Amino acid sequence: METGTIINQYKIISPIGKGGMGEVYKAHDSRLDREVAIKVLPSGMSSDEDRLRRFELEAKATSALNHPNILTVYDIGEHDGSPFIVAELLEGEELRERLDEGSIPLRKVTEYAQQIVSGLSAAHEKGIVHRDLKPENLFITKDDRVKILDFGLAKLSEPGAVATGSEDHTRKALTNPGVVMGTIGYMSPEQVRGHATDHRSDIFSFGLILYEMITGKRAFQHETMAETMSAILKEEPEEITESNPNISPSLGRIVRRCLEKKPEQRFQSTADLGFALEALSSPTNSSGGFTTGANAAVARTSRSKWIGWAPWVAAAILLLGFLASAPFAVKYIRQPARTEAVPISFSINPPGKSAGFNQLAISPDGSNLAFNALIDGKLLMFLRPMNSLSARMLPGTEGAAGFMFWSPDGRSLGFATSNGKLKRVNLADGTVQNICDFIGDRRGNEGSWGRDGTIIFFVGGQGIMRVPASGGNAVSLPGFEKNEEMLKRWPQFLPDGRHFIYLATDTKKGTSEVMAASVDGGESKRLFSSDSNARYAPSPDGGGHIFFPRWGIARPGV
């Protein structure tokens, strides 16, 4: 369009750019006296009324998001047979331009990644999937804010259409003639196959972008489009530590999880992904490496020799209710080198006129003890540092009836209330957040918080449920729905954050076994028979043990 062209109340000032999905102009909004960006889509887009209607619905939904990391859409319309979008005018550069300038510092990588995921999460919560996430659709403003562009445009393309005309125009050559990438290089395996996609496809595309920001190169880069598509389906990208050995293993695990070929093995929500990214702290050494809060907690335990053994004590304390009159046995996951054990004895007295403890939970680094107690008919949660004799009440935790469990970094506590709500309390500022509502039995210490931000918990009459730690709807974990004949409960995550142990009870035979399973699905593995639940605890040598009670006389060698 020519300079000076009038579209409704918008006057074209100058062209900004163009591509396979249309042309972008700078314009002046005379009604609100502001400068805006107008994207005019190809006229062929309006020929299919159904596609245009779906696009308009998604554009309206996107404009209602009003999220700081999503481009704000002001208006949509049609001019001379071509649909157009009016959006905020941004100053800065595309992420593609930033990547072309060279590597991005790791501190900025995590900052940008968290912003991208925050925007995606807001859209996904509204049922909006991007479907064409790539560096060209991510804009970095002058104040270093990331904006996600072009939500909904991918919906204008026919499902499964990979090598269409618009796609040909969208491709960008890299350094050598014939090296073609563009959108193809950021597709998920299900997109390449032409299968139905959902929010997990965006997570795969995000993983590719995160990989490129970290390493400075694309995860799947080949000579031809066909080779690139084949690589997305069959190949694994080079480990990010190959380009920088100082990169945190935690960050590497996040990238690998995003790039799983099967959608069910990726992060199941951007909320989970966002929590995993938040767990990455700021740089901790001159080499630019990162550490997680959990690793920092391990480092802090060196100040006190006995604290390294506190998780063992924690596991034993959690089983006190079962061990009142019964001997117990310890089953090893891995037999450590034998060293002389140092016994530790201490007592924990309930506060004031408490009627006694209901639940106990020791933090991952062994430095804090959380418990709830019944005082004047009210269940309240308390926190006691292990190097102190006094405990403080945690405001906002009234009615904490069960499911008390720690976050992996030890900064938050999850708990269930007597009115059917799962909550978390941030110990730093005391804020309490509602995670989800549920219906069923709320008794028991039966929740566990994984390292990737997933919480699993047992609800009587429901089975084992799964919910993002950041909040959302709790859903049944596949294979662990309500089953009257085989009761599966007491889940606890193992260190990798993807596998967990639980107790399976055959209600007809009256027998129970401790099993191991994965949140990603698959068959469970039997570990051993047990008369009650088991708890995993790490040991100071890097190994771990499973503690469990056994009624009657303990058999030698167990």
Side-chain angles (χ1 to χ4, degrees), residues 516-538:
S518 171
V519 292
D520 300 319
E523 295 184 358
S524 298
K525 178 181 179 181
R526 178 187 180 277
L527 298 182
F528 51 89
S529 298
S530 176
D531 297 309
S532 187
N533 69 303
R535 306 299 291 178
Y536 171 86

Side-chain angles (χ1 to χ4, degrees), residues 319-391:
L319 294 169
L320 282 177
F322 299 96
L323 304 179
S325 61
F328 68 97
V330 178
K331 188 175 184 73
Y332 289 86
I333 285 180
R334 186 176 74 185
Q335 180 70 38
R338 293 193 176 276
T339 58
E340 183 178 354
V342 180
I344 302 170
S345 300
F346 59 92
S347 62
I348 304 170
N349 298 315
K353 298 180 180 180
S354 169
F357 299 120
N358 186 356
Q359 301 289 335
L360 298 166
I362 290 184
S363 62
D365 66 354
S367 62
N368 286 290
L369 170 70
F371 60 90
N372 56 2
L374 188 65
I375 299 180
D376 296 330
K378 295 182 179 179
L379 274 170
L380 302 170
M381 280 179 60
F382 293 82
L383 182 70
R384 170 184 157 173
M386 296 297 283
N387 60 359
S388 172
L389 296 177
S390 60

Side-chain angles (χ1 to χ4, degrees), residues 30 34 45 47 74 188 212 351 359 375 381 383 392 474 510:
S30 59
R34 62 182 176 184
M45 292 295 180
S47 61
Y74 297 140
S188 64
E212 188 170 350
Q359 301 289 335
I375 299 180
M381 280 179 60
L383 182 70
R392 64 182 175 91

Side-chain angles (χ1 to χ4, degrees), residues 254-450:
I254 290 174
V255 174
R256 289 195 299 273
R257 185 78 179 273
C258 290
L259 296 181
E260 290 285 357
K261 304 296 186 187
K262 297 180 179 180
E264 60 271 19
Q265 294 180 355
R266 298 173 204 150
F267 287 98
Q268 292 303 289
S269 74
T270 38
D272 290 355
L273 173 56
F275 183 83
L277 287 168
E278 288 175 9
L280 295 173
S281 66
S282 57
T284 58
N285 54 55
S286 58
S287 63
F290 283 74
T291 182
T292 63
N295 290 337
V298 171
R300 287 195 299 271
T301 61
S302 62
R303 293 176 297 180
S304 175
K305 293 182 180 179
W306 76 269
I307 273 204
W309 295 82
W312 292 23
V313 181
I317 289 177
L318 291 173
L319 294 169
L320 282 177
F322 299 96
L323 304 179
S325 61
F328 68 97
V330 178
K331 188 175 184 73
Y332 289 86
I333 285 180
R334 186 176 74 185
Q335 180 70 38
R338 293 193 176 276
T339 58
E340 183 178 354
V342 180
I344 302 170
S345 300
F346 59 92
S347 62
I348 304 170
N349 298 315
K353 298 180 180 180
S354 169
F357 299 120
N358 186 356
Q359 301 289 335
L360 298 166
I362 290 184
S363 62
D365 66 354
S367 62
N368 286 290
L369 170 70
F371 60 90
N372 56 2
L374 188 65
I375 299 180
D376 296 330
K378 295 182 179 179
L379 274 170
L380 302 170
M381 280 179 60
F382 293 82
L383 182 70
R384 170 184 157 173
M386 296 297 283
N387 60 359
S388 172
L389 296 177
S390 60
R392 64 182 175 91
M393 194 266 286
L394 297 175
T397 61
E398 293 81 3
F403 297 163
M404 189 186 301
F405 49 89
W406 287 87
S407 64
D409 59 10
R411 298 176 184 175
S412 301
L413 267 168
F415 63 98
T417 64
S418 55
N419 60 349
K421 295 184 181 295
L422 189 66
K423 298 184 177 183
R424 58 185 287 184
V425 54
N426 186 311
L427 300 182
D429 57 15
T431 57
V432 177
Q433 173 190 344
N434 189 50
I435 297 175
C436 69
D437 297 341
F438 61 90
I439 301 174
D441 189 356
R442 294 170 289 280
R443 295 171 296 174
N445 183 12
E446 302 184 49
S448 188
W449 191 326

Side-chain angles (χ1 to χ4, degrees), residues 135-200:
E136 289 81 0
N137 281 338
L138 296 170
F139 195 92
I140 303 175
T141 64
K142 288 186 175 181
D143 60 353
D144 253 5
R145 174 166 292 178
V146 179
K147 293 275 189 176
I148 306 175
L149 315 180
D150 287 353
F151 264 104
L153 288 186
K155 245 189 176 179
L156 288 174
S157 300
E158 293 293 342
V162 175
T164 63
S166 62
E167 173 60 32
D168 293 336
H169 290 296
T170 307
R171 302 180 201 155
K172 287 192 176 182
L174 298 181
T175 55
N176 301 316
V179 181
V180 180
M181 298 296 292
T183 301
I184 289 294
Y186 299 94
M187 281 185 170
S188 64
E190 53 269 31
Q191 284 179 298
V192 171
R193 292 189 174 99
H195 294 171
T197 60
D198 57 21
H199 61 279
R200 294 171 296 183

Side-chain angles (χ1 to χ4, degrees), residues 8-50:
N8 296 346
Q9 74 266 28
Y10 309 108
K11 182 179 180 180
I12 300 299
I13 297 175
S14 61
I16 296 177
K18 62 181 179 179
M21 292 302 291
E23 299 178 348
V24 183
Y25 298 88
K26 179 180 179 181
H28 180 75
D29 181 350
S30 59
R31 182 178 299 172
L32 298 177
D33 192 23
R34 62 182 176 184
E35 292 184 345
V36 297
I38 295 184
K39 186 162 195 172
V40 182
L41 304 177
S43 58
M45 292 295 180
S46 61
S47 61
D48 187 324
E49 293 183 1
D50 181 62

Side-chain angles (χ1 to χ4, degrees), residues 93-277:
E93 61 182 349
E94 291 178 356
L95 177 60
R96 166 59 59 216
E97 297 175 73
R98 181 69 61 88
L99 289 169
D100 289 344
E101 293 171 1
S103 60
I104 299 176
L106 283 178
R107 178 178 60 83
K108 284 294 182 184
V109 167
T110 54
E111 180 182 325
Y112 292 160
Q114 288 174 345
Q115 292 188 56
I116 296 168
V117 169
S118 179
L120 282 177
S121 182
H124 290 172
E125 287 177 4
K126 299 292 185 180
I128 302 171
V129 182
H130 195 288
R131 297 179 180 83
D132 194 23
L133 199 64
K134 56 187 176 183
E136 289 81 0
N137 281 338
L138 296 170
F139 195 92
I140 303 175
T141 64
K142 288 186 175 181
D143 60 353
D144 253 5
R145 174 166 292 178
V146 179
K147 293 275 189 176
I148 306 175
L149 315 180
D150 287 353
F151 264 104
L153 288 186
K155 245 189 176 179
L156 288 174
S157 300
E158 293 293 342
V162 175
T164 63
S166 62
E167 173 60 32
D168 293 336
H169 290 296
T170 307
R171 302 180 201 155
K172 287 192 176 182
L174 298 181
T175 55
N176 301 316
V179 181
V180 180
M181 298 296 292
T183 301
I184 289 294
Y186 299 94
M187 281 185 170
S188 64
E190 53 269 31
Q191 284 179 298
V192 171
R193 292 189 174 99
H195 294 171
T197 60
D198 57 21
H199 61 279
R200 294 171 296 183
S201 182
D202 282 351
I203 290 176
F204 187 92
S205 298
F206 166 80
L208 294 172
I209 295 168
L210 181 58
Y211 182 97
E212 188 170 350
M213 287 196 294
I214 295 170
T215 64
K217 57 186 178 182
R218 307 192 189 201
F220 303 108
Q221 181 173 335
H222 290 273
E223 290 287 325
T224 67
M225 182 189 304
E227 289 175 320
T228 300
M229 295 168 67
S230 177
I232 291 173
L233 294 175
K234 301 177 182 179
E235 297 179 7
E236 296 294 335
E238 182 182 275
E239 292 290 335
I240 61 174
T241 52
E242 294 292 328
S243 60
N244 186 348
N246 294 319
I247 291 174
S248 161
S250 299
L251 184 57
R253 286 193 292 269
I254 290 174
V255 174
R256 289 195 299 273
R257 185 78 179 273
C258 290
L259 296 181
E260 290 285 357
K261 304 296 186 187
K262 297 180 179 180
E264 60 271 19
Q265 294 180 355
R266 298 173 204 150
F267 287 98
Q268 292 303 289
S269 74
T270 38
D272 290 355
L273 173 56
F275 183 83
L277 287 168

